[in-house]
């Protein structure tokens, strides 16, 4: 922008951030740099790159210009200093925790999380010696009580999957700040269009790009955003950032890279050594998707609210959980954190229980019965007969996946068609 | 000058016009940030002269190190200060005694001394505080974007290659003078 002093708005950033015309060809769309590697200019250049003394590309496991466009775009939309795109939302969580925790350390996580994250934290992470301590987001003091000298981070979702529930970010962020540990927010369900967690105290934001940012259900991806807010050197608790790294001839990443050191650490230590790189083709599809994020997200919200209102009056429906619905338990939090709408995802309870859930997913003609959210298409799943099938009824209910529960991800089709499909499916 | 935030045009104007940079507080330890900046700016076409009394007379990347600014035998366009804030005033006092005077005083990321800045500005020098010239160069040339860093710049013009390699970009904004 010629007038660099003007601060661009969100919708402008969604289209332009990270994506200048290609320096080599002038191509206006972001080229797909489908290459594994990059020639060095000369031996000195190679040495500078490997020593982190120059900015540039070495090998696509560590960085790729198409992925970099996506990274800068999401960093700009979230208001962060930098980002690192990786192969999936789950990979993003692995890399964040590997950068922060040593074996035997703890982190506190909200009990209301995507089921896959609950599994990841309870099983895979424990096998690395990273011990999760669960806290109920409806009782903020639970987070404070859970802090021990071994606690290295707090992890929550801004809008939690599947519930349509909203997390009170600000006081949890304050607890993290007081304890001198970073506050990590998974912002997948809200997207930065609805909520910018950094404004409410997040030090690190993660996403499954698979969902609303990509937006079209065609690519798996994840991203880590560095808010640039955390002082990694203060208490010397984070050796990946504050101690000389033998991998890089003794440089201290926080001292060298300042307020984007966390993103650099995730890239040059975490991604380099663990390896879950994002394919440039997926990065291209996801950053193209982001160009329409503001339009899609508003439509998702408008449609979802209309559906929630319809279902809350439907004789076959016992309850609807959607934060933007007046009278919802999370309505006050929704007004504060996601005033433009509570996203696309909601859960509903059917009066007919398990049988009614199975019948609804079988009857629908427009909704797709599958395990995903955040597509342009409307999606439906009955957790009790699918993702949570192996649990006892008691465990299902505790996980918010009781026999009567159906999760909807409302698409951006004509809302009248979405409502008509649910209406006929509930008959 | 408001030293809380600088317009990109101000920083670009400085980096586009200075050639010879004296780096006070240079460390010959290749793992230190000052060495990173020294090497990077040298590779981007600046002549960076290391200043460190403990290493005077030695050469680093072909540049002779001097004990102090006044010993540098050529005109200095910019003084880049890698010293804690409380040591900045004497450095600026020394810089202001040079003939010709430098045009720019630059204090590194995390370093700010408003008294020193006012002294330099009173003599007509430009001042930048709490910024890193390597990061600013990387940001305005778009090189830093390869690392997923938010450059906080948008452009409808392509970044300009500096020549001498694929991954060295210049500071031009893709516009002809006056455009
Ligand atoms: C909130 C949330 N976080 C993380 C993930 C995991 O992301 P991915 O499937 O891209 O690994 C998901 C996926 O459903 C999610 O909904």
């Amino acid at each position: 922008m010629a007038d660099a002093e003007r601060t661009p708005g969100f919708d402008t950033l969604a289209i332009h951030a990270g994506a200048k015309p290609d320096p080599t060809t002038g191509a206006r769309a972001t080229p797909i740099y489908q290459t594994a590697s990059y020639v060095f200019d000369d031996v000195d250049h190679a040495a500078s790159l490997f020593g982190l003394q120059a900015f540039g590309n070495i090998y696509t496991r560590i960085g790729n210009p198409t992925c970099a466009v996506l990274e800068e775009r999401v960093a700009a939309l979230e208001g962060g200093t930098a980002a690192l795109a990786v192969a999936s939302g789950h990979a993003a969580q692995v890399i964040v925790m590997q950068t922060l925790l040593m074996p035997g350390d703890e982190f506190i996580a909200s009990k209301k999380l995507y089921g896959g994250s609950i599994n990841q934290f309870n099983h895979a992470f424990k096998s690395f010696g990273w011990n999760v301590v669960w806290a109920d987001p409806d009782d903020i003091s639970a987070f404070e009580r859970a802090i021990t000298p071994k606690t290295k981070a707090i992890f929550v979702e801004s809008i939690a999957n599947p519930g349509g529930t909203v997390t009170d970010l600000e006081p949890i962020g304050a607890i993290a700040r007081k304890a001198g540990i970073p506050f990590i927010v998974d912002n997948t369900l809200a997207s930065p269009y609805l909520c910018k967690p950094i404004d409410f105290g997040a030090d690190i934001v993660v996403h499954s790009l698979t969902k609303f940012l990509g937006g079209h259900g065609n690519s798996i991806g994840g991203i880590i955003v560095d808010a640039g807010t955390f002082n990694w050197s203060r208490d010397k608790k984070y050796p990946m950032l504050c101690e000389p790294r033998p991998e890089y001839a003794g440089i201290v990443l926080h001292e060298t890279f300042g307020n984007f050191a966390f993103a650099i650490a995730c890239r040059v230590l975490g991604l380099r050594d663990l390896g879950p790189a994002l394919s440039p083709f997926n990065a291209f599809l996801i950053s193209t998707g982001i160009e329409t994020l503001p339009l899609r997200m508003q439509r998702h919200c408008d449609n979802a609210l209309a559906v929630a209102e319809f279902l809350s009056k439907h004789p076959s429906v016992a309850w609807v959980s959607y934060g933007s619905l007046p009278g919802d338990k999370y309505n006050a939090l929704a007004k504060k954190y996601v005033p433009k709408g509570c996203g696309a995802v909601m859960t509903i309870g059917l009066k007919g229980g398990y049988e009614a859930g199975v019948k609804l997913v079988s009857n629908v003609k427009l909704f797709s019965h599958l395990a995903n959210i955040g597509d342009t298409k409307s999606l439906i799943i009955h957790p009790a007969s699918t993702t949570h099938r192996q649990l006892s009824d008691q465990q299902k209910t505790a996980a918010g996946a009781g026999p009567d529960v159906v999760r909807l991800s409302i698409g951006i089709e004509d809302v009248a068609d979405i409502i008509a499909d649910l209406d006929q499916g509930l008959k | 000058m408001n030293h809380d935030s600088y317009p990109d045009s101000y920083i670009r104007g400085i980096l586009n016009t200075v050639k010879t940079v004296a780096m006070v507080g240079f460390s010959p330890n290749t793992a230190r940030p000052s060495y990173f900046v020294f090497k990077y700016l040298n590779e981007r076409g600046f002549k960076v002269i290391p200043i460190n009394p403990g290493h005077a007379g030695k050469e680093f990347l072909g540049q002779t190190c001097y004990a102090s600014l006044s010993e540098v035998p050529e005109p200095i366009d910019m003084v880049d200060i890698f010293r804690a804030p409380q040591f900045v005033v004497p450095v600026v006092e020394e810089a202001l005694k040079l003939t010709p005077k430098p045009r720019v005083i630059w204090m590194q990321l995390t370093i700010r001394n408003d008294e020193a800045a006012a002294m330099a500005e009173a003599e007509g020098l430009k001042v930048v505080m709490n910024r890193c010239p390597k990061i600013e160069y990387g940001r305005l040339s778009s090189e830093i974007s390869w690392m997923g860093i938010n450059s906080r710049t948008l452009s409808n013009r392509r970044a300009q290659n500096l020549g001498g390699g694929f991954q060295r970009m210049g500071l031009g904004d893709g516009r002809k003078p006056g455009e």
Side-chain angles (χ1 to χ4, degrees):
Chain A
M1 210 177 252
D3 179 7
E5 288 36 290
R6 199 185 142 79
T7 308
F10 187 90
D11 297 11
T12 304
L13 291 175
I15 294 166
H16 288 279
K20 294 165 188 169
D22 180 52
T24 312
T25 62
R28 191 63 190 93
T30 295
I32 301 167
Y33 283 95
Q34 193 70 25
T35 183
S37 208
Y38 311 82
V39 290
F40 304 117
D41 295 337
D42 51 42
V43 173
D44 281 347
H45 176 229
S48 293
L49 285 174
F50 279 109
L52 304 181
Q53 292 157 331
F55 309 114
N57 299 293
I58 299 176
Y59 186 66
T60 286
R61 170 154 41 75
I62 308 168
N64 172 283
T66 311
C67 297
V69 169
L70 170 64
E71 289 160 350
E72 186 171 0
R73 183 165 300 170
V74 177
L77 292 175
E78 288 285 6
T81 54
L84 175 68
V86 293
S88 67
H90 262 20
Q93 294 171 185
V94 173
I95 288 191
V96 165
M97 293 305 178
Q98 200 257 345
T99 305
L100 298 176
L101 273 70
M102 300 302 276
D105 283 343
E106 294 171 3
F107 68 102
I108 304 168
S110 163
K111 276 184 185 165
K112 286 213 170 82
L113 291 188
Y114 162 57
S117 297
I118 293 177
N119 274 332
Q120 187 189 44
F121 295 179
N122 267 339
H123 303 293
F125 282 10
K126 284 209 173 129
S127 75
F128 298 155
W130 310 334
N131 298 314
V132 62
V133 178
W134 297 104
D136 182 353
D138 293 338
D139 171 17
I140 301 288
S141 65
F143 287 84
E144 191 143 33
R145 289 196 305 275
I147 302 238
T148 76
K150 288 185 184 163
T151 311
K152 292 294 170 72
I154 295 181
F155 184 102
V156 306
E157 289 175 6
S158 51
I159 301 178
N161 182 5
T165 64
V166 181
T167 306
D168 198 356
L169 301 178
E170 223 159 26
I172 303 176
I175 290 168
R177 201 157 42 253
K178 194 170 139 212
I181 56 177
F183 181 37
I184 309 165
V185 178
D186 179 338
N187 199 30
T188 299
L189 266 71
S191 90
Y193 173 76
L194 296 178
C195 175
K196 295 211 253 183
I198 293 173
D199 292 346
F200 299 109
D203 300 296
I204 298 163
V205 177
V206 292
H207 282 274
S208 167
L209 297 168
T210 316
K211 310 298 176 330
F212 296 95
L213 288 168
H216 297 72
N218 58 22
S219 310
I220 301 281
I223 203 159
I224 301 158
V225 180
D226 185 350
T229 44
F230 195 80
N231 184 346
W232 302 105
S233 305
R234 198 187 69 181
D235 300 329
K236 300 274 171 231
K237 278 201 278 206
Y238 301 94
M240 300 274 268
L241 287 130
C242 72
E243 283 177 12
R245 293 313 305 178
E247 299 93 326
Y248 291 99
I251 74 170
V252 178
L253 290 174
H254 184 215
E255 178 184 78
T256 308
F257 294 104
N259 69 359
F260 47 83
F262 183 74
I264 295 283
C266 287
R267 181 188 302 278
V268 305
L269 297 172
L271 182 59
R272 186 195 72 161
D273 295 346
L274 300 177
L278 181 66
S279 129
F281 185 64
N282 280 12
F284 170 81
L285 290 173
I286 294 164
S287 37
T288 303
I290 293 175
E291 294 185 13
T292 56
L293 174 72
L295 301 173
R296 286 187 287 105
M297 212 63 211
Q298 192 57 58
R299 178 70 170 258
H300 277 298
C301 289
D302 296 347
N303 282 0
L305 183 59
V307 168
E309 277 166 353
F310 166 78
L311 290 174
S312 64
K313 294 183 202 108
H314 197 284
S316 307
V317 175
W319 52 264
V320 174
S321 170
Y322 183 65
S324 295
L325 204 57
D328 187 273
K329 182 177 171 197
Y330 295 95
N331 193 244
L333 290 174
K335 282 188 174 140
K336 171 169 179 182
Y337 292 104
V338 286
K340 293 199 279 281
C342 200
V345 180
M346 66 184 75
T347 48
I348 62 174
L350 298 177
K351 287 182 184 158
Y354 186 90
E355 294 310 321
V358 171
K359 215 166 131 240
L360 177 59
V361 297
S362 316
N363 283 353
V364 284
K365 294 179 179 148
L366 183 66
F367 277 79
S368 300
H369 178 208
L370 53 73
N372 194 18
I373 56 169
D375 196 326
T376 51
K377 302 168 192 72
S378 289
L379 313 174
I380 188 166
I381 195 162
H382 179 227
S385 60
T386 54
T387 50
H388 291 65
R389 185 184 192 100
Q390 72 281 13
L391 304 182
S392 69
D393 275 3
Q394 205 183 354
Q395 287 173 315
K396 281 178 189 145
T397 307
D404 60 328
V405 176
V406 170
R407 182 185 76 189
L408 306 175
S409 174
I410 304 302
I412 59 175
E413 302 100 332
D414 283 280
V415 69
D417 293 333
I418 299 171
I419 289 175
D421 192 37
L422 290 170
D423 197 28
Q424 69 81 25
L426 286 165
K427 287 215 168 94
Chain B
M1 193 72 211
N2 168 11
H3 292 288
D4 293 328
S5 73
Y6 302 104
D8 286 349
S9 54
Y10 178 73
I11 301 288
R12 193 189 290 278
I14 289 173
L15 293 177
N16 254 333
T17 48
V18 301
K19 266 276 157 219
T20 305
V21 178
M23 181 178 282
V24 178
F26 162 84
S27 166
N29 177 344
T30 56
R32 303 289 304 159
S34 68
Y35 189 86
F36 272 48
V37 176
F38 170 68
K39 183 161 190 270
Y40 180 82
L41 293 181
N42 267 313
E43 287 169 356
R44 292 296 171 284
F46 296 88
K47 176 172 186 178
V48 188
I49 300 173
I51 310 287
N52 182 327
H55 297 275
K58 291 185 203 159
E59 272 199 11
F60 300 97
L61 303 178
Q63 305 294 346
T64 305
C65 183
Y66 294 96
S68 66
L69 287 173
S70 52
E71 285 170 38
V72 177
E74 62 183 297
I76 296 166
D77 299 322
M78 173 166 121
V79 178
D80 182 17
I81 304 175
F82 265 95
R83 300 294 312 275
Q86 66 270 28
F87 303 119
V88 168
V89 168
V91 176
V92 171
E93 279 170 347
E94 191 185 356
L96 292 174
K97 286 193 200 119
L98 298 173
T99 21
K101 284 194 194 71
R103 282 181 281 133
V104 181
I105 300 289
W106 189 302
M107 298 175 213
Q108 274 293 331
L109 207 53
T110 71
I111 298 168
R112 177 166 176 156
N113 184 317
D114 286 84
E115 182 195 346
M119 283 163 48
E121 285 176 328
E123 301 272 341
L125 278 66
K126 287 186 175 162
V127 175
V128 176
M129 296 192 282
N130 190 24
R131 292 288 183 282
C132 170
K134 177 185 174 192
I135 292 173
E136 294 304 300
Y137 186 101
R139 217 168 58 71
L140 297 172
S141 67
S142 299
E143 280 187 14
I144 211 169
S145 299
W146 286 323
M147 309 304 290
I149 290 156
N150 184 0
S151 69
R152 303 188 315 278
T153 63
L154 306 184
S155 180
N156 60 356
R157 303 292 172 108
R158 50 186 161 141
Q160 304 295 301
N161 195 286
L162 199 58
F166 292 105
Q167 300 199 34
R168 280 157 40 93
M169 308 307 278
L171 282 172
D173 59 4
R175 282 164 204 284
K176 300 191 188 79
E179 205 184 327

